[in-house]
Amino acid sequence: MKSTRIILKSGKDQSLRKYHPWVFSGAIKKIKGNTPAEGDIVEVYDNKDEFLGKGHYQKGTIAIRILSFKEVAIDSIFWKTKIEEACNLRKMLGLLHSTETNVFRLINAEGDGLPGLIVDYYNGFGVIQLHSVGMYRNLAFIAEAIKETLGESLTGLYNKSVLTLPYKADIEKENYYLYGDVSGNEVKEHDLLFKVNWEEGQKTGFYVDQRENRYMVKQLAKDRKVLNLFGYTGGFSVYALAGDCERVDTLDSSAKAIELADQNVELNFTEKHKHKGIVADAFSFLKEMKDDYGLIVLDPPAFAKHNNVLSNALQGYKRLNRLAMEKIAQGGVLFTFSCSQVVSTENFRKMVFAASASAGRNVKVLYQLTQPADHPISIFHPEGEYLKGLVLQIN
Ligand code: SAH
C-alpha cells in the first residue's frame, strides 16, 4: 500500500524545517494517496514535493505529530531506539537505579521525540498516558520496548489514558493494567516517602515535575510557618517538615488529596501535630486567613488550557498572587508557579510584576524555577517548557 502524502501550503513548511514537531490542520494544502485514518503514519512534503518528516495523523488542530524528520521506518526498532534513548537519559541523570529517588518521568512526549506519549516511573511501576491516537495504536510496541529496556527494573505497566486521549476519536478508551496489578506504590523522592495511587490519583498519580522545587522548599522552610496551597497529596508540605519548619498547613479542594497528605506526613514523621490538612477553596481561604505565614507555596492547576482563555487565566493568577502577597509575613518567601503551557515565562513574570505592584509590597526574585531534567524540553518545541516558577521574598 502506498503511503499517504500530506502536502503543505506554500510557506507553511518553515516551522518543520526548524524541526518543530506539529503540523496544524490549516497548513495542509492537499492529501495524496489513501485518506488517512486517525493514528496512521503519514509523510509530509512541501508544495515542491520535498520530504519534511513523517508522523501520526489525527483529526483536530494539530493534524500531524512528527516522529521523524528522516525517511525511516516507524517500526519496532524505531520504538525501541527512542525508548532506549529516553531511559539512558534518566540513567545519566542518576534517576534510574538511584537509591534516594525512585519516582521520575521516564518518557516526556515531544521532549523525548515521542509526541503524545508520557510515562511516569513509580518505584518499578510505569504509568502510561497516551495523548494521541497514533500512540494508542502503537501501545503494544511501546510497552514491549519499555519492558525490554528496563528488564528487572520494571514490575508492571498501567495504561491511564481515558482522560487524555482525544475524546472524539473512534477508539475504545479504558484504563487497564498491561501487566502487574498493584493499584499503588510507596515511592521515594530525595529520601522522603510518598504513597501514590495511580488508579484514583490526579494525572498519573503524583506531580513528578515539582521534585527539585519541593527540595528547594526544604532548604528555605526552617522555623517558618508554611502554607501549601493547592497542596494535593502534601508533596511540598513533607519537604517543609524535612526542612524543620515550625508548622505547615496543606490546603486543597479535594478531601481525598488531603487524606493522602495526612498519610504522607505520617509516613515520614512522628510529629503529626506540626501538620494540618485543610479542605477548602484557596481563594476564599486567602481572603480570610491571618497574615503570619512565613512561606507560602502557590501551585494551582493550569488556569489556561487554550490560548483563547489566556487573558482570563492571567487575571486569575494575578488575583491569587496579589492575595498571597498581601497576606504573607514581612520577609516571607513565596513560591509561585504556573503549569499552563500557554502562559509564557514572560507572561508569567509580567503577571507577578502586576500582582506585586497592586499588593504594594517590595518583592525580590530569589530563584527562577522550571521543570527538572527528566521533563526535557526540545529546543525546537518551546511549548514543552510548561512549568514556570519564581521564588520571591516579600518585604
Ligand atoms: N502542589 C501539588 C500539585 C498541585 S495540583 C504537588 O506538588 O503535588 C493542583 C491541585 O489544586 C489539585 O490537587 C486540585 O485538587 C487543587 N485545586 C484546584 N482548584 C482549587 C481551589 N480553587 N482551591 C483549592 N485547591 C484547588
Side-chain angles (χ1 to χ4, degrees):
M1 193 175 76
K2 237 180 142 260
S3 60
T4 305
R5 284 187 174 207
I6 307 277
I7 316 294
L8 300 187
K9 291 176 187 162
S10 163
K12 294 292 183 187
D13 55 334
Q14 286 311 313
S15 70
L16 249 69
R17 289 192 192 282
K18 291 181 193 137
Y19 306 108
H20 191 284
W22 295 345
V23 176
F24 292 102
S25 55
I28 297 175
K29 184 176 165 192
K30 64 178 172 208
I31 298 179
K32 275 191 188 169
N34 300 313
T35 309
E38 287 205 279
D40 278 358
I41 296 285
V42 295
E43 294 180 348
V44 186
Y45 287 79
D46 71 4
N47 70 340
K48 296 198 177 78
D49 267 351
E50 190 184 330
F51 175 85
L52 295 169
K54 64 202 294 187
H56 284 143
Y57 175 79
Q58 193 166 296
K59 290 176 189 150
T61 321
I62 304 174
I64 301 145
R65 289 170 172 80
I66 299 291
L67 293 163
S68 179
F69 293 93
K70 295 190 182 128
E71 292 188 71
V72 297
I74 309 295
D75 54 11
S76 58
I77 295 169
F78 170 86
W79 296 110
K80 184 82 200 305
T81 310
K82 282 283 180 188
I83 286 167
E84 264 176 12
E85 219 175 86
C87 292
N88 284 338
L89 171 61
R90 277 65 183 177
K91 238 184 247 169
M92 182 191 94
L93 294 171
L95 289 166
L96 193 58
H97 311 313
S98 153
T99 51
E100 291 151 35
T101 298
N102 56 28
V103 49
F104 55 86
R105 179 149 293 183
L106 189 68
I107 299 173
N108 190 44
E110 284 85 356
D112 283 301
L114 292 167
L117 177 65
I118 281 179
V119 183
D120 284 338
Y121 182 87
Y122 291 105
N123 186 14
F125 215 97
V127 181
I128 302 176
Q129 226 183 35
L130 307 168
H131 291 255
S132 71
V133 182
M135 287 298 178
Y136 168 89
R137 297 211 190 284
N138 283 282
L139 183 56
F141 284 122
I142 293 165
E144 196 47 42
I146 298 175
K147 257 169 130 172
E148 268 184 39
T149 309
L150 290 186
E152 285 180 357
S153 304
L154 193 74
T155 52
L157 276 174
Y158 182 58
N159 171 22
K160 189 178 183 186
S161 307
V162 166
L163 297 177
T164 57
L165 281 166
Y167 72 99
K168 282 187 187 155
D170 186 18
I171 51 178
E172 201 177 308
K173 289 177 216 125
E174 182 192 9
N175 294 336
Y176 64 96
Y177 287 89
L178 289 120
Y179 82 102
D181 64 356
V182 288
S183 63
N185 229 350
E186 197 174 285
V187 301
K188 202 159 50 162
E189 199 187 73
H190 287 301
D191 274 330
L192 295 166
L193 301 174
F194 295 94
K195 278 216 161 76
V196 176
N197 182 323
W198 42 80
E199 281 184 23
E200 291 176 11
Q202 300 176 18
K203 304 277 166 112
T204 64
F206 196 58
Y207 288 86
V208 182
D209 54 357
Q210 288 286 23
R211 181 181 61 248
E212 303 311 322
N213 303 331
R214 289 195 271 254
Y215 190 77
M216 191 162 264
V217 163
K218 176 179 165 188
Q219 312 296 100
L220 295 172
K222 193 162 172 48
D223 297 331
R224 290 182 187 266
K225 189 175 170 194
V226 177
L227 175 62
N228 180 9
L229 286 175
F230 306 94
Y232 188 46
T233 53
F236 282 102
S237 306
V238 168
Y239 279 78
L241 287 164
D244 267 331
C245 66
E246 184 192 314
R247 52 165 293 109
V248 55
D249 296 339
T250 309
L251 181 140
D252 201 283
S253 53
S254 153
K256 204 156 206 156
I258 291 300
E259 207 179 293
L260 262 169
D262 282 327
Q263 284 180 28
N264 282 330
V265 168
E266 281 182 42
L267 205 56
N268 291 280
F269 308 101
T270 47
E271 302 156 290
K272 278 197 308 198
H273 62 277
K274 279 186 155 190
H275 177 250
K276 189 165 82 186
I278 304 168
V279 181
D281 170 67
F283 286 89
S284 319
F285 184 85
L286 274 169
K287 281 187 211 141
E288 306 295 320
M289 75 181 204
K290 285 204 258 164
D291 55 4
D292 60 347
Y293 287 106
L295 192 155
I296 299 179
V297 179
L298 287 181
D299 184 24
F303 285 170
K305 295 239 160 86
H306 301 287
N307 254 318
N308 50 6
V309 291
L310 179 60
S311 96
N312 281 348
L314 287 170
Q315 285 307 314
Y317 284 119
K318 182 183 159 195
R319 200 153 59 87
L320 186 67
N321 279 271
R322 179 173 52 75
L323 282 168
M325 286 172 180
E326 282 170 354
K327 288 290 182 75
I328 199 166
Q330 185 65 21
V333 176
L334 179 64
F335 279 72
T336 179
F337 296 98
S338 161
C339 61
S340 300
Q341 193 179 62
V342 297
V343 173
S344 67
T345 309
E346 199 192 341
N347 279 336
F348 181 66
R349 212 186 166 93
K350 281 187 181 152
M351 175 283 292
V352 171
F353 164 83
S356 309
S358 75
R361 304 279 303 254
N362 189 9
V363 175
K364 289 178 196 159
V365 178
L366 307 185
Y367 299 98
Q368 302 173 52
L369 306 178
T370 180
Q371 64 222 54
D374 52 327
H375 296 62
I377 303 152
S378 159
I379 197 82
F380 305 114
H381 179 252
E383 295 90 338
E385 188 177 349
Y386 66 95
L387 185 62
K388 295 106 206 161
L390 287 171
V391 185
L392 309 167
Q393 191 190 32
I394 320 281
N395 283 296

